[in-house]
Amino acid sequence: MHKLATIVSLWMVIASGHSLAAGSALVPAKQNWSFNGLFGTFDRGALQRGYQVYNEVCAGCHGLRLVAYRNLTEIGLTEQQVKKIAASKTVKDGPNDEGEMYERSGRPSDRFVMPFANKNAARAANNGAYPPDLSLMVKARVGGADYLYGLLTGYQETKKGVEIPEGMYYNKYYPGNLIAMPSPLVEEGIEYPDKTKATVKQMAQDVTVFLSWTAEPEIEQRKRLGIKVLLFLIILTGLLYAIKKRVWSQLHN
Amino acid sequence: MSKTNQTNSVVKWVDDRLPVFTFMQHELHEYPTPKNLNYFWNFGSLAGIVLVTMIVTGIVLSMHYTPHVDYAFDSVERIMRDVNHGWLIRYVHMNGASAFFIIVFIHIFRGLYYGSYKAPRELLWMLGVLILLLMMATAFLGYVLPWGQMSFWGATVITNLFSAIPLIGEPIVTWLWGGFSVDNATLNRFFSLHFLLPFVIVGVVVLHIVALHTHGSNNPVGIDTTGNDDQIPFHPYYTVKDLFGLGVFLVLFSLFVFYAPNYLGHPDNYIPADPLQTPPHIVPEWYFLPFYAILRSITFDIWFLDAKLLGVIAMFASIGLLFILPWLDRSPVRSARFRPIYRQFYWVLVIDCFILGIVGANSPDDPVFSGLDGFQFIHLGMMSTAYYFFHFLILLPLLSVIEKPDPLPASINEPILGGGGNAALAPGKPMEKP
């Protein structure tokens, strides 16, 4: 029961620790995302390039467990392409009639295959640090897409006087500045089929768009519906105001 | 109760046996209402509509939600991704909670300004305070259900408050949890209670409305209605006015639901709950921030009562003293419009509550103004907590004695006629466009 008291006192002092941890991180600059604003939509090209970046760079360590291959039709891939992508993955399934687990090629209905069997395996392979799942990353961080873009482009050589421990890296936007993930993007690290030049900024931007979609796949439907609902409500409210005026004017006379 | 003049024979047949039509005629149609109510009187019916919306969206959500520590988070994400318009239902429910509190807070401060808690409406007011308490419990329970980091740690912090009770505190916490930590048993019972409490709220709301309709609405002038000149039937005057207010509310609400659905939430709640990892900064939902500030403001022991217990007592007392407000404020004049001193301190209280909210959102040790390190949020919190209790416990009883109220009009109708014969421009309608 002593633990309970510790938890509460911990919460009482948490704030002070918080300010220490977050003190040195910069606030990432706001970017002009196509999905911002009243009419925001995703750029299909950026989504597909972003998927490629995720697939070739991030997927080695980071899962995307809430997204299924079938969802990729929403970023503009055809069903054939999605089937091919799914089939290229190996999925563990079972048990079969003999009670054995077995491996098969993926289907569009499968969720993205996780890079590690479990959390411990992920930590063991990554110097003790756990690479978090990216499905909701953009929603789960203050600053959202701007933060993610900032993080991917915010790696620097160590700043004056900052000692960097073994296996850690300096990032100006990461809370506390010391991050266990090495800079994942390198210039021309991948080759885009649409001939877009794969600069670090370009790749960071594309994968941020892709991960904004995985976090909020409903965003386009939400904004399209929102406009209609707002227009309807504004007209309705205007009419109700006119009726209200009219009804009450009888009273005044 | 006079019978309605129904011409439809089926309606007549039913009404003769079960007078539902007569009831509706009386309580929704003829129900005599002061004619000078301003737009602040819209918030009661608005709160009722939001309550119904919350219940309807909540029932749909519960059809897809799984109250289990291993599945709760993912079942919410399934609602967001795979259920048709699930994102809309969830975002309406999520932002509906915030809207409900905004509306109810305005409703309460309307009551404070116009003295709606005074005789003969004391029980009406106390039922309202009870609704607020039930709402707070329901909102807290609901916030735990998505089982994100803030859900888990919020539940841990708040349930731990009960451990401050001497001797029996820790057994009570274990009993609340159904185990030795916030775990599956806790989530299950929280889901069950989150489903139950809204219906309890509906029950208290019915009593609230019965009490309201016994003496009728208070009004901006705060004097009793004296006759038919002062009153108009609820329908069509207030039904149409409430509908217009509902339209304005829905426009603002839609902006949040469709364009900033997570603005009032915390990003950490999109990280699945992890009992081994404490988030850097545990904050409650915005509507709890003033109470959270009061809780943290007591940092000193008094005799055998330690600071933590005192904080919990202060937090519950901040709402508890609203129950006895009708007996703290003894002034016979209801409306602040005729109370020159109270009127000013009312606004001090409003500002004080906003300051408490800001304090609750910040770390106690951070300076309020950068560069002025000696003045931290904890100090501001102590000052604003002190004022909150001073206002209710000392100032209001004192003002009841020393304040000289302005002369009251003889009837509601009088200032309206005195104001040039145009009711729309009467002093009773500060918010209405001419």
Side-chain angles (χ1 to χ4, degrees):
Chain A
M1 286 295 108
H2 187 70
K3 231 171 73 188
L4 311 183
T6 318
I7 290 171
V8 173
S9 43
L10 187 67
W11 142 72
M12 293 245 181
V13 297
I14 271 160
S16 49
H18 165 71
S19 48
L20 283 176
S24 43
L26 293 174
V27 177
K30 290 220 180 302
Q31 308 290 324
N32 197 14
W33 301 107
S34 68
F35 47 85
N36 285 349
L38 236 57
F39 302 94
T41 53
F42 289 115
D43 172 356
R44 289 295 178 281
L47 278 176
Q48 291 174 23
R49 288 195 300 273
Y51 166 69
Q52 191 188 345
V53 176
Y54 167 76
N55 194 40
E56 293 180 20
V57 181
C58 318
C61 301
H62 293 276
L64 212 51
R65 64 186 187 89
L66 297 172
V67 185
Y69 294 112
R70 65 181 161 81
N71 295 131
L72 290 175
T73 53
E74 295 163 33
I75 68 169
L77 300 182
T78 64
E79 276 185 41
Q80 286 312 313
Q81 286 172 306
V82 171
K83 273 186 186 157
K84 226 173 114 187
I85 287 170
S88 70
K89 312 285 172 186
T90 311
V91 176
K92 200 169 186 187
D93 206 346
N96 61 12
D97 293 347
E98 278 88 48
E100 306 288 336
M101 302 302 281
Y102 61 96
E103 292 188 337
R104 60 164 173 82
S105 58
R107 291 190 284 254
S109 58
D110 287 319
R111 305 262 154 161
F112 272 52
V113 177
M114 301 290 283
F116 298 103
N118 52 57
K119 237 179 183 180
N120 289 1
R123 282 190 190 280
N126 286 285
N127 219 354
Y130 176 63
D133 190 89
L134 297 182
S135 314
L136 282 166
M137 189 51 75
V138 169
K139 262 172 139 176
R141 292 293 181 275
V142 177
D146 297 326
Y147 167 73
L148 188 59
Y149 177 78
L151 186 84
L152 290 173
T153 54
Y155 283 88
Q156 280 180 345
E157 292 302 310
T158 175
K159 273 251 188 100
K160 62 243 159 205
V162 180
E163 183 100 15
I164 301 197
E166 182 70 24
M168 299 296 269
Y169 304 88
Y170 188 90
N171 190 304
K172 59 180 168 180
Y173 296 117
Y174 189 73
N177 292 135
L178 294 175
I179 184 168
M181 175 173 74
S183 179
L185 303 173
V186 285
E187 291 288 329
E188 310 275 354
I190 64 171
E191 202 174 314
Y192 284 132
D194 65 359
K195 304 293 178 228
T196 308
K197 199 164 184 295
T199 60
V200 168
K201 280 190 171 175
Q202 182 68 42
M203 288 186 285
Q205 197 175 343
D206 290 341
V207 81
T208 302
V209 173
F210 176 68
L211 291 175
S212 300
W213 169 77
T214 64
E216 298 187 277
E218 88 295 343
I219 207 167
E220 290 185 339
Q221 191 194 3
R222 172 151 62 78
K223 293 192 168 181
R224 273 202 310 270
L225 183 59
I227 281 292
K228 291 179 205 160
V229 169
L230 273 181
L231 275 177
F232 170 80
L233 283 174
I234 288 168
I235 293 168
L236 177 75
T237 306
L239 290 173
L240 284 170
Y241 183 67
I243 298 170
K244 192 254 159 195
K245 289 290 279 185
R246 199 186 162 114
V247 167
W248 279 72
S249 70
Q250 297 161 7
L251 190 69
H252 303 154
N253 296 332
Chain B
M1 204 181 253
S2 65
K3 297 277 173 192
T4 47
N5 301 322
Q6 295 294 350
T7 45
N8 185 311
S9 61
V10 176
V11 168
K12 262 175 109 163
W13 186 91
V14 171
D15 201 62
D16 205 34
R17 285 149 183 82
L18 181 71
V20 282
F21 295 99
T22 306
F23 173 81
M24 289 197 303
Q25 175 79 11
H26 269 267
E27 304 304 326
L28 292 172
H29 193 159
E30 292 165 1
Y31 173 60
T33 315
K35 66 190 206 179
N36 60 336
L37 301 187
N38 60 35
Y39 276 105
F40 282 108
W41 264 263
N42 278 46
F43 289 88
S45 70
L46 214 45
I49 292 166
V50 173
L51 175 61
V52 172
T53 309
M54 293 302 280
I55 289 176
V56 171
T57 51
I59 285 172
V60 178
L61 288 173
S62 77
M63 293 173 187
H64 299 278
Y65 171 77
T66 312
H68 186 288
V69 289
D70 292 338
Y71 305 111
F73 187 91
D74 287 3
S75 72
V76 171
E77 277 308 311
R78 211 188 94 79
I79 291 170
M80 294 299 291
R81 290 157 194 270
D82 293 338
V83 174
N84 289 334
H85 286 92
W87 58 268
L88 178 60
I89 295 161
R90 174 163 178 258
Y91 279 157
V92 167
H93 197 74
M94 233 171 87
N95 288 283
S98 286
F100 203 0
F101 275 97
I102 293 173
I103 288 167
V104 162
F105 286 151
I106 294 174
H107 190 62
I108 290 171
F109 275 96
R110 192 284 321 270
L112 287 175
Y113 189 82
Y114 296 109
S116 300
Y117 48 84
K118 293 186 183 181
R121 297 184 182 84
E122 299 97 322
L123 284 177
L124 170 62
W125 169 263
M126 291 163 83
L127 287 166
V129 179
L130 185 59
I131 293 171
L132 174 67
L133 275 176
L134 287 166
M135 275 174 64
M136 293 174 76
T138 311
F140 162 67
L141 295 168
Y143 192 61
V144 176
L145 302 186
W147 210 242
Q149 274 289 66
M150 279 298 157
S151 298
F152 178 85
W153 290 99
T156 302
V157 168
I158 300 299
T159 47
N160 260 308
L161 294 180
F162 292 92
S163 70
I165 302 168
L167 301 172
I168 53 164
E170 300 215 329
I172 284 182
V173 174
T174 310
W175 176 72
L176 287 173
W177 286 342
F180 297 105
S181 64
V182 174
D183 208 334
N184 198 47
T186 324
L187 178 59
N188 260 286
R189 61 188 54 190
F190 276 23
F191 176 59
S192 177
L193 292 172
H194 183 70
F195 208 119
L196 168 72
L197 284 187
F199 296 97
V200 178
I201 293 178
V202 169
V204 183
V205 166
V206 169
L207 294 177
H208 191 67
I209 295 172
V210 171
L212 172 71
H213 282 226
T214 305
H215 287 282
S217 293
N218 183 32
N219 65 79
V221 182
I223 58 174
D224 290 329
T225 48
T226 48
N228 281 339
D229 280 356
D230 291 346
Q231 292 174 325
I232 47 178
F234 190 78
H235 181 76
Y237 295 105
Y238 285 109
T239 42
V240 72
K241 192 171 174 179
D242 281 357
L243 277 175
F244 167 59
L246 175 65
V248 174
F249 163 73
L250 285 177
V251 169
L252 297 174
F253 184 61
S254 300
L255 283 173
F256 275 96
V257 168
F258 291 101
Y259 295 101
N262 294 302
Y263 180 76
L264 296 168
H266 197 292
D268 273 23
N269 227 26
Y270 284 108
I271 304 170
D274 183 353
L276 300 175
Q277 194 173 15
T278 320
H281 195 38
I282 303 177
V283 281
E285 289 279 82
W286 70 266
Y287 38 80
F288 291 139
L289 289 176
F291 307 104
Y292 193 56
I294 292 174
L295 169 75
R296 293 193 299 187
S297 285
I298 314 291
T299 54
F300 43 86
D301 300 346
I302 300 178
W303 298 320
F304 57 92
L305 301 168
D306 69 346
K308 183 180 162 193
L309 177 60
L310 287 169
V312 174
I313 292 172
M315 182 179 71
F316 282 106
S318 68
I319 300 169
L321 57 76
L322 293 177
F323 277 109
I324 54 166
L325 175 61
W327 296 276
L328 293 172
D329 178 5
R330 306 293 299 170
S331 169
V333 176
R334 291 196 193 107
S335 175
R337 195 172 284 175
F338 303 102
R339 298 186 60 189
I341 306 176
Y342 172 73
R343 191 165 62 221
Q344 288 165 37
F345 280 104
Y346 169 87
W347 290 110
V348 176
L349 180 71
V350 172
I351 294 164
D352 189 60
C353 289
F354 274 103
I355 292 174
L356 281 171
I358 294 165
V359 170
N362 280 283
S363 305
D365 298 338
D366 280 357
V368 179
F369 307 105
S370 53
L372 200 65
D373 289 349
F375 189 56
Q376 299 161 348
F377 276 104
I378 184 70
H379 304 126
L380 187 62
M382 290 164 113
M383 286 162 58
S384 39
T385 299
Y387 179 78
Y388 184 91
F389 287 100
F390 166 79
H391 182 97
F392 285 104
L393 292 175
I394 296 171
L395 194 70
L396 289 187
L398 193 67
L399 283 185
S400 318
V401 181
I402 62 167
E403 184 182 47
K404 188 177 172 295
D406 295 338
L408 293 171
S411 76
I412 289 172
N413 209 26
E414 187 191 79
I416 293 174
L417 293 179
N422 185 346
L425 283 169
K429 304 188 173 296
M431 283 187 73
E432 197 169 68
K433 290 198 178 76

